[in-house]
Amino acid sequence: MTETRYPRLSESVQNYLVNIVRLRESEEAPLPLSRLAEALSISPISVNDMCRTLQDQGLVIYRPYKGVYLTEQGQRHAYYIVRRHRPVSYT
């Protein structure tokens, strides 16, 4: 079985992607930046700046005054990160 190689993302970017996955309530509705800022304990302005950066990298779709969605590429990265950090059970 071959493992898909993903480009190395900063810890901050990984944290954003994982939190977007965890906080999204539905696939149709964007995640409000205020919820993301609260979950990450950072200012909404910082979240706004990072979401624009993530959009430039093709990881999210940012809609001003609406929120943020993960792109397919962003979802793949986020789920890969979540799987890698899941505890291993040997039972």
Side-chain angles (χ1 to χ4, degrees):
M1 181 169 131
T2 61
E3 183 176 327
T4 304
R5 291 272 184 201
Y6 290 101
R8 190 174 284 279
L9 300 173
S10 72
E11 185 176 334
S12 177
V13 169
Q14 291 181 33
N15 200 19
Y16 271 84
L17 295 178
V18 168
N19 275 284
I20 291 169
V21 165
R22 290 184 176 154
L23 295 171
R24 290 275 310 273
E25 293 176 355
S26 76
E27 292 298 314
E28 295 81 36
L31 175 65
L33 298 190
S34 59
R35 283 197 55 215
L36 186 55
E38 184 178 325
L40 296 170
S41 299
I42 57 177
S43 75
I45 293 171
S46 295
V47 171
N48 187 307
D49 290 343
M50 179 58 100
C51 285
R52 291 176 188 274
T53 300
L54 294 174
Q55 180 169 271
D56 292 344
Q57 294 176 6
L59 299 172
V60 303
I61 299 169
Y62 169 65
R63 300 285 182 239
Y65 308 105
K66 302 277 188 217
V68 66
Y69 301 87
L70 288 173
T71 62
E72 282 187 40
Q73 179 184 359
Q75 283 182 347
R76 282 194 306 269
H77 281 286
Y79 291 130
Y80 175 76
I81 295 162
V82 169
R83 279 192 309 273
R84 284 192 55 209
H85 292 108
R86 193 171 285 157
V88 176
S89 174
Y90 293 103
T91 58

